[in-house]
Amino acid sequence: MKTDAKPDEMASLLSLSGPSVEKLEPFGKDYAYDIEVTTNRIDSASVIGIAREAAVILKQHGYQAKFLPLKKIKHVFKAKTKLRLTVEDNSKLSRRILAVVMDQVRVDRSPQYVRDRLEQAGIRSQSNLIDVTNYVMLEVGHPCHVFDYDKIKTGKLVLRQAQDKENLVTLDGLNHALYKDDVVIDDGTGRVIDLPGIMGGQNSMVADDTKRIIFFIEMINPFIIRKTSMKHGIRTLAASYNENEPDVQTAELAFNRGISLFVQLAKAKIASPIIDINRTVAKSKLISIDLSDFATYMNLDISVAKVTSILKALGFNLKAKSKQTLTFSIPAYREKDINLKQDLIEEVARIYGYNNLGTNLPPFVFHSDPYLRNLTERFNKEKVIKEFLASLGFFELYNYSMISESLNQLFATKTKPIRMLNPMSQDLVCFRQTLLASLARAAVINSQQPRLKLFELAHVYLPRPKQLPLERPTLSLLSSNDYFELKGVLDSLFQMGHLTKLISYQSGTKQAYFDPKLSATIYLDNLYLGEIGVLNKSIAFKLGLKSVPAIAELDFGLLAKYFQFLTSIKAQSNQAPIVEDLTYQFDNKNHWQQITTLIKRKFKAVEKIELLDRYQQFYTMRIYSYTKDNKSILSLINQFLTKQLSLKIKTVKDGKNK
Amino acid sequence: MANQIIREIQQAKSLDDLEVLKTKFLGKKGYFNQQLQKLKSVSDPIQKKNLGLNINNQKQEVIRALNSQIQAVLRQKEPVTDPTLPGTKISIGAIHPITRTINEITEIFAKIGFYRVSYPEIEYEYFSFDSLNMPPSHPARDEFESFTVDGEASSTFGKMVLSPHTSSGQVREMWRMKGKPVRMINIARCFRRNWDVTHTPMFHQFEGLCIDRNINITHLKGAINHFAKEYFGYDVQIRLRPYHFQFTEPSFEIDTTCTICQGTQKTKSGKCRVCKSGWLELGGAGMVHPNVLKAGKINSQKYTGWAFGFGVERVYMMKHQLFDLRKLFSGQLDIYQ
């Protein structure tokens, strides 16, 4: 390409309208462009491809630019003696095969310009034979391969699928046990000599004493190329090209260019008829588009002349035109990529310049949508609850959704967890059914921290038959302070959300990772909300935790559903409540929760009961009540508890009127 | 009398003593109120007025004396303290940077009428790939890039995979909205097989999806421009670069001017090491591919739309320095120190 644009100008314009130029680096008197070509544009992954794009883009921006295509040369076999070459592809594994034998090869270093250009592109220059294949790949955009004809001996190349227990030592010296899906080339005797499209075999590679070569291009199914290349870990540049399915015409261009260069650089002579097995059918693809489609996507009235000139420059020719509809033909090298009118819009829009299009906000729409309203409310509550916990000294963690098998075993629930089929690490295999596993692990990691307080709000994954797992938003807490402090945190959270009257606790949980002696199940409006307790001591021991933390886990969806920032403000009674204290001995049977519920149910005058004090198993409750004439009901409550629950009431103090 | 009271006050040594004296002289049943009570029995109005004035004047004197003695006692008693000593330590926790960033993103888009939704993280391959115009042969679907799980496959939607992007919510949202205009922000955990200083196998994305009549590229530019300026600052510029994604056509990548060198490529310590030629990559975007609209049961002749998918960690790292992304999910508290 010839242009008057400077390298940095070309770099920034290419990025805006074509392939992205990641870096522009001076290289002697020259420049090296580091360009990212997207997988759909394998046609531009070459010097020719970039030049073809650049010429159009630069012209659009007022620069002089002219694309100079490679001359099309058709090589023919003219020598008197011919060397035998047969290619078999009975399973039709390659969509096109091009092959020729070349004789009287002179192995040498490549000329300076070839070596420099390869080096600028990050490829080490080797012998002229290997350099030609790399040079052609970078210049034209199709990988090609050169075999040592004499090392193959049979003059035969057979494309077939690999069999079990076959091996190939690739030219980098590594031995690969082949898989059944791999496509290989054998020399007709069953000896594997090549992983076509990926890397050659050591047993057929050219060397300094090479005299005769086979120059070869094949086009295997890109899916197979990728699979083989990934499985064997051979990520060659050739594989990257072939994975993205270059077109058959580019292959032919590369083939002819390669022959010319062998002649030019290695004095090689064509020594066999050219083999060209082409299984593709040339078709001319047409796509129609309305002028209004451009306006719809670009918010722009664009003229037929402008559209046509941009597309023509890119190789799309206007084939038909009626009022509003334009029909274009697609050049061969874009056939795979261009399928829809939207593809044509993209071509016009990018060359026209996204920068030249306007900037508008999308029109506002009102959504009356109860689902969204609930969700938005949940997100708001999430935010406030997190802030609340942080201000109480809790640190928020984001842990991985997956845990190790061993951690999962420690925190096992009744259901089998969802498991990763292709984990990257043994630490990330089982999907969490409780976040407490991760928090306990974090407690181990941060065990040097005094008074550790952690929380996480994330999904647990609960398998369900015949559908996706339930992803339940869950709030979990861990505190190295005592159980009652953590319970106090929950109680204050419930108070903040005006839930206190709806919350009840029941001693014990179903989960084995809680200490059965000090744990409770939490209910909200009689629905299961979660659990609180001390971590099971044997788990703490196995994890290597020196002290046993308190832990809690709540169904966040349920919590958020009931959580309210505000409730109605009721008129307060003018009367001061009677405040009376009562101490009873815990009998390991009747829990605070039941006792206080019973009292409230029996004595309607009781407004609230608080825990005033506890000493060993003696718990003192403070009872607030509103009675007629401010009469004490303490003796009645005392009687009731003694008779109904056989509780031992230790002392009865007179409450103070407040 | 007043002088005697004042002397008594001036001899008081403590605030408690003063409190007693205050009640004694100025309280409800104190000296001055008693004096005022006595006035009732005086019949001559002129004498009554003079006496009243006199009592009040004395009372004011006493109040002044009391106040100045209070100050005197306070001055005596108060030990001298360094007011610049550190306050009492109150331990607070912290909100994770990802939560903060998600909240910011949600609010920025709420301003222009975008609502936040949430879609499955363990997802059927139909929603993660097929509905997004990614055929089974697409490299992103293979075992080297995407995670699969052992959940029961669906006869309609295929295998269970880990959603590698928030785009999995696109067709779900189209189905949910049943043809009503879409203005979605979907924020979720995503999973890919990448693990290094700038990649973790779990990360977060936010996905914008806008579908309506006459939605075009300029609306995408507007929305992203709004985000970039609100989140990074008003001096930030954006650019669109042509790119390729299966589920958008046309497709672009969006860059912002480098937040470190402001696009100049120069910093105080030399050439900017953070950006590529003054620009930082924000993420991918494009006009929703007609096949995706079709999968979403939307008539692509009538409706158009755009979508983008950006990384939450990515925008966080563009705005704030973070030396190792893996720290965010390590469970270590050192990110808070």
Side-chain angles (χ1 to χ4, degrees):
Chain A
M1 185 194 63
K2 259 193 176 165
T3 181
D4 59 350
K6 294 194 185 90
D8 59 332
E9 292 167 338
M10 186 168 115
S12 70
L13 289 176
L14 270 182
S15 290
L16 281 177
S17 292
S20 294
V21 179
E22 310 252 300
K23 254 190 280 174
L24 174 67
E25 276 184 294
F27 205 101
K29 284 181 192 164
D30 215 341
Y31 284 87
Y33 294 78
D34 183 355
I35 302 176
E36 183 189 6
V37 175
T38 53
T39 52
N40 62 324
R41 291 301 308 274
I42 194 63
D43 64 287
S44 55
S46 61
V47 173
I48 288 178
I50 296 292
R52 194 162 48 206
E53 279 278 312
V56 182
I57 292 164
L58 292 172
K59 248 188 174 163
Q60 176 71 22
H61 289 86
Y63 292 94
Q64 284 179 19
K66 191 167 167 38
F67 174 55
L68 310 170
L70 268 185
K71 271 186 205 145
K72 277 193 180 166
I73 300 167
K74 194 99 186 159
H75 294 282
V76 283
F77 170 63
K78 283 184 246 169
K80 281 171 192 154
T81 52
K82 80 173 180 192
L83 292 171
R84 203 164 70 96
L85 176 65
T86 50
V87 178
E88 276 179 20
D89 178 17
N90 295 333
S91 312
K92 299 185 176 165
L93 295 167
S94 181
R95 53 190 193 282
R96 189 167 192 181
I97 298 172
L98 292 152
V100 68
V101 182
M102 298 186 85
D103 197 1
Q104 299 172 45
V105 166
R106 279 172 36 195
V107 183
D108 200 352
R109 285 176 77 187
S110 303
Q112 194 64 42
Y113 80 92
V114 172
R115 298 214 306 271
D116 282 351
R117 286 177 184 180
L118 286 176
E119 204 186 313
Q120 284 167 15
I123 291 177
R124 190 171 57 91
S125 169
Q126 302 176 56
S127 71
N128 53 358
L129 300 185
I130 295 171
D131 285 357
V132 166
T133 59
N134 285 328
Y135 192 91
V136 167
M137 174 168 69
L138 293 179
E139 186 189 45
V140 184
H142 202 294
C144 41
H145 187 62
V146 57
F147 293 101
D148 189 318
Y149 181 79
D150 297 300
K151 284 184 185 163
I152 295 174
K153 291 176 186 141
T154 54
K156 201 170 183 184
L157 300 173
V158 180
L159 270 79
R160 64 167 170 86
Q161 278 180 311
Q163 288 155 11
D164 271 345
K165 289 174 189 164
E166 275 190 315
N167 274 57
L168 175 69
V169 178
T170 41
L171 44 81
D172 54 4
L174 296 176
N175 186 16
H176 299 275
L178 300 172
Y179 299 95
K180 260 193 163 168
D181 301 339
D182 297 340
V183 172
V184 297
I185 296 180
D186 88 26
D187 63 359
T189 68
R191 185 176 69 131
V192 179
I193 57 167
D194 188 52
L195 269 183
I198 299 169
M199 195 184 262
Q202 207 173 41
N203 54 10
S204 61
M205 72 181 196
V206 292
D208 289 351
D209 57 357
T210 297
K211 297 281 183 297
R212 300 187 284 192
I213 57 169
I214 302 173
F215 182 48
F216 187 75
I217 288 181
E218 80 298 297
M219 304 180 82
I220 312 284
N221 179 339
F223 193 55
I224 294 174
I225 297 274
R226 175 168 168 84
K227 229 174 159 184
T228 297
S229 140
M230 291 296 277
K231 274 205 265 188
H232 293 287
I234 316 176
R235 301 296 295 147
T236 54
L237 200 49
S240 303
Y241 271 98
N242 285 322
E243 266 169 35
N244 291 302
E245 208 175 347
D247 77 288
V248 291
Q249 290 192 23
T250 303
E252 188 177 333
L253 195 63
F255 189 70
N256 288 323
R257 175 67 169 159
I259 294 174
S260 304
L261 285 174
F262 282 123
V263 171
Q264 207 183 314
L265 305 183
K267 310 283 179 248
K269 306 248 170 351
I270 296 174
S272 77
I274 285 161
I275 293 177
D276 183 358
I277 305 169
N278 191 353
R279 301 188 202 283
T280 58
V281 185
K283 51 182 182 234
S284 78
K285 199 167 173 179
L286 298 173
I287 293 178
S288 298
I289 185 164
D290 272 20
L291 210 53
S292 66
D293 291 326
F294 293 102
T296 304
Y297 275 74
M298 296 160 70
N299 195 31
L300 183 79
D301 284 324
I302 192 165
S303 67
V304 177
K306 186 82 193 164
V307 167
T308 318
S309 84
I310 288 176
L311 287 175
K312 188 171 170 47
L314 290 168
F316 302 82
N317 290 318
L318 184 63
K319 286 288 172 190
K321 186 177 150 190
S322 73
K323 274 187 191 167
Q324 283 292 303
T325 309
L326 309 171
T327 303
F328 292 92
S329 67
I330 313 302
Y333 52 88
R334 299 297 304 274
E335 253 183 20
K336 191 184 146 239
D337 168 40
I338 303 285
N339 298 298
L340 304 167
K341 66 180 185 189
Q342 280 81 3
D343 294 314
L344 293 181
I345 293 170
E346 177 168 56
E347 294 306 297
V348 172
R350 73 183 173 93
I351 301 296
Y352 183 84
Y354 293 126
N355 276 4
N356 297 326
L357 302 180
T359 301
N360 293 302
L361 282 175
F364 192 85
V365 242
F366 179 74
H367 294 93
S368 84
D369 187 332
Y371 169 83
L372 284 180
R373 193 172 175 276
N374 287 336
L375 204 58
T376 307
E377 245 184 53
R378 199 188 90 199
F379 291 137
N380 285 340
K381 288 169 183 173
E382 215 175 281
K383 207 162 112 181
V384 172
I385 289 171
K386 283 181 174 186
E387 295 287 359
F388 173 73
L389 291 173
S391 60
L392 288 183
F394 284 80
F395 287 91
E396 187 184 12
L397 291 184
Y398 270 57
N399 289 301
Y400 284 101
S401 300
M402 307 73 92
I403 54 175
S404 67
E405 285 285 356
S406 55
L407 199 54
N408 177 63
Q409 233 165 46
L410 289 181
F411 286 84
T413 60
K414 277 186 187 137
T415 43
K416 208 173 80 146
I418 301 270
R419 282 188 172 81
M420 201 89 107
L421 288 176
N422 54 341
M424 275 190 96
S425 150
Q426 290 314 307
D427 288 337
L428 309 180
V429 178
C430 302
F431 277 82
R432 294 188 288 184
Q433 300 194 65
T434 165
L435 310 183
L436 291 169
S438 306
L439 291 187
R441 189 185 147 272
V444 178
I445 295 173
N446 297 290
S447 57
Q448 77 291 352
Q449 294 261 345
R451 289 186 290 282
L452 189 67
K453 291 188 203 173
L454 307 172
F455 80 96
E456 183 174 8
L457 206 169
H459 290 161
V460 295
Y461 305 83
L462 309 173
R464 296 180 291 191
K466 293 195 170 38
Q467 54 184 323
L468 290 173
L470 174 65
E471 294 179 14
R472 199 176 68 190
T474 299
L475 173 65
S476 295
L477 303 100
L478 178 145
S479 163
S480 61
N481 293 355
D482 89 328
Y483 168 84
F484 285 102
E485 196 203 277
L486 186 63
K487 192 157 183 289
V489 168
L490 289 193
D491 287 338
S492 58
L493 175 65
F494 298 147
Q495 193 189 341
M496 182 194 180
H498 302 92
L499 301 173
T500 307
K501 286 191 174 161
L502 295 172
I503 289 285
S504 64
Y505 291 90
Q506 231 170 58
S507 176
T509 73
K510 281 182 186 157
Q511 307 299 352
Y513 43 85
F514 284 98
D515 183 342
K517 280 191 191 147
L518 192 53
S519 60
T521 307
I522 313 166
Y523 295 90
L524 172 55
D525 199 12
N526 296 319
L527 301 165
Y528 166 85
L529 177 66
E531 284 130 353
I532 179 166
V534 165
L535 178 64
N536 180 305
K537 291 198 177 63
S538 82
I539 294 176
F541 178 76
K542 280 178 195 160
L543 287 169
L545 279 170
K546 283 189 194 101
S547 63
V548 183
I551 50 176
E553 186 154 85
L554 305 178
D555 175 343
F556 189 77
L558 183 66
L559 178 71
K561 194 175 156 200
Y562 279 79
F563 196 95
Q564 285 185 35
F565 293 120
L566 289 172
T567 57
S568 35
I569 300 167
K570 290 179 200 132
Q572 296 283 315
S573 162
N574 282 331
Q575 190 193 348
I578 317 179
V579 183
E580 299 177 298
D581 300 342
L582 180 151
T583 302
Y584 69 95
Q585 187 174 10
F586 177 49
D587 58 3
N588 260 337
K589 202 169 70 201
N590 290 298
H591 292 104
W592 170 277
Q593 179 75 51
Q594 282 99 51
I595 297 169
T596 52
T597 311
L598 274 178
I599 293 173
K600 280 186 209 157
R601 201 175 295 154
K602 172 83 181 170
F603 301 94
K604 297 290 172 210
V606 172
E607 170 70 15
K608 65 174 176 181
I609 305 175
E610 287 172 351
L611 179 67
L612 186 65
D613 196 11
R614 82 189 150 94
Y615 172 69
Q616 293 173 345
Q617 288 201 309
F618 295 104
Y619 303 161
T620 303
M621 54 173 67
R622 173 157 282 183
I623 304 163
Y624 296 78
S625 47
Y626 293 98
T627 56
K628 266 185 196 164
D629 312 325
N630 279 357
K631 252 186 171 173
S632 165
I633 52 167
L634 197 58
S635 55
L636 292 173
I637 294 175
N638 187 348
Q639 230 174 52
F640 172 70
L641 294 180
T642 318
K643 276 194 182 163
Q644 293 284 315
L645 302 176
S646 318
L647 277 186
K648 279 183 193 156
I649 309 296
K650 197 194 169 203
T651 53
V652 181
K653 286 189 285 176
D654 276 342
K656 278 189 214 162
N657 264 322
K658 275 203 167 171
Chain B
M1 186 61 200
N3 288 341
Q4 200 187 323
I5 293 171
I6 288 168
R7 236 174 287 132
E8 209 178 324
I9 285 171
Q10 283 167 346
Q11 275 157 17
K13 293 274 185 312
S14 72
L15 288 179
D16 287 347
D17 293 349
L18 285 166
E19 191 62 37
V20 171
L21 292 176
K22 187 182 175 187
T23 317
K24 184 173 166 189
F25 301 118
L26 299 168
K28 242 186 203 171
K29 291 172 186 169
Y31 170 79
F32 284 105
N33 273 351
Q34 280 174 24
Q35 293 302 309
L36 287 170
Q37 285 294 317
K38 283 182 192 164
L39 275 186
K40 283 183 188 163
S41 57
V42 180
S43 51
D44 179 14
I46 297 172
Q47 196 186 359
K48 199 176 190 173
K49 190 186 166 194
N50 286 339
L51 274 173
L53 271 174
N54 193 23
I55 292 168
N56 264 327
N57 286 340
Q58 288 185 19
K59 189 181 173 185
Q60 291 309 316
E61 266 181 66
V62 167
I63 289 173
R64 270 196 296 276
L66 185 77
N67 284 339
S68 74
Q69 187 61 17
I70 288 173
Q71 292 304 317
V73 169
L74 282 177
R75 268 197 302 277
Q76 259 177 18
K77 287 206 94 179
E78 210 174 329
V80 183
T81 317
D82 180 354
T84 67
L85 283 178
T88 309
K89 178 108 182 138
I90 292 167
S91 56
I92 56 156
I95 303 277
H96 197 275
I98 295 302
T99 295
R100 294 263 183 236
T101 309
I102 287 175
N103 290 345
E104 262 185 273
I105 293 165
T106 309
E107 278 159 29
I108 289 170
F109 281 102
K111 283 187 195 172
I112 55 169
F114 280 67
Y115 52 81
R116 181 178 165 196
V117 294
S118 172
Y119 282 113
E121 294 161 12
I122 297 181
E123 182 54 287
Y124 289 121
E125 54 184 345
Y126 176 77
F127 296 101
S128 284
F129 301 119
D130 300 80
S131 68
L132 295 171
N133 196 34
M134 292 168 86
S137 60
H138 195 275
R141 291 183 65 160
D142 70 25
E143 65 204 279
F144 310 107
E145 296 204 2
S146 287
F147 289 112
T148 48
V149 296
D150 67 355
E152 194 182 344
S154 151
S155 53
T156 326
F157 301 125
K159 284 187 296 198
M160 276 188 206
V161 298
L162 291 190
S163 180
H165 44 214
T166 39
S167 308
S168 309
Q170 284 191 14
V171 163
R172 285 199 180 268
E173 180 64 7
M174 292 179 205
W175 287 8
R176 194 184 74 79
M177 293 304 272
K178 295 195 177 99
K180 284 182 281 179
V182 174
R183 301 284 188 278
M184 169 191 95
I185 289 291
N186 176 25
I187 310 182
R189 286 188 172 194
C190 305
F191 303 86
R192 283 185 205 171
R193 293 180 56 93
N194 275 325
W195 213 343
D196 58 41
V197 177
T198 52
H199 296 90
T200 44
M202 180 185 91
F203 59 101
H204 298 77
Q205 277 194 336
F206 57 112
E207 181 97 2
L209 180 68
C210 175
I211 298 171
D212 214 331
R213 280 174 198 271
N214 298 315
I215 291 294
N216 57 56
I217 297 170
T218 71
H219 296 128
L220 173 62
K221 282 178 74 179
I224 291 176
N225 201 43
H226 165 75
F227 170 74
K229 289 197 182 317
E230 289 286 317
Y231 183 77
F232 295 111
Y234 291 127
D235 50 351
V236 160
Q237 307 293 321
I238 65 161
R239 71 170 183 184
L240 275 62
R241 271 183 296 112
Y243 209 75
H244 172 65
F245 301 105
Q246 283 292 119
F247 36 101
T248 47
E249 194 68 54
S251 303
F252 353 91
E253 272 193 333
I254 313 243
D255 294 338
T256 66
T257 40
C258 177
T259 46
I260 306 298
C261 68
Q262 281 75 44
T264 61
Q265 299 186 59
K266 284 176 204 126
T267 63
K268 277 177 197 162
S269 50
K271 199 174 185 304
C272 183
R273 279 191 226 163
V274 177
C275 62
K276 296 185 239 177
S277 56
W279 296 92
L280 287 177
E281 188 185 314
L282 182 60
M287 298 297 289
V288 180
H289 195 286
N291 291 355
V292 179
L293 290 173
K294 197 176 154 198
K297 297 169 188 166
I298 288 173
N299 181 351
S300 63
Q301 297 299 316
K302 270 193 194 162
Y303 297 94
T304 47
W306 53 251
F308 68 79
F310 300 159
V312 175
E313 289 80 0
R314 171 92 195 141
V315 297
Y316 169 74
M317 286 172 87
M318 283 166 73
K319 191 172 172 182
H320 309 278
Q321 301 292 296
L322 172 66
F323 66 99
D324 186 346
L325 181 64
R326 293 170 293 197
K327 282 273 174 202
L328 286 182
F329 310 125
S330 66
Q332 287 166 308
L333 290 184
D334 51 2
I335 54 166
Y336 294 119
Q337 283 153 9

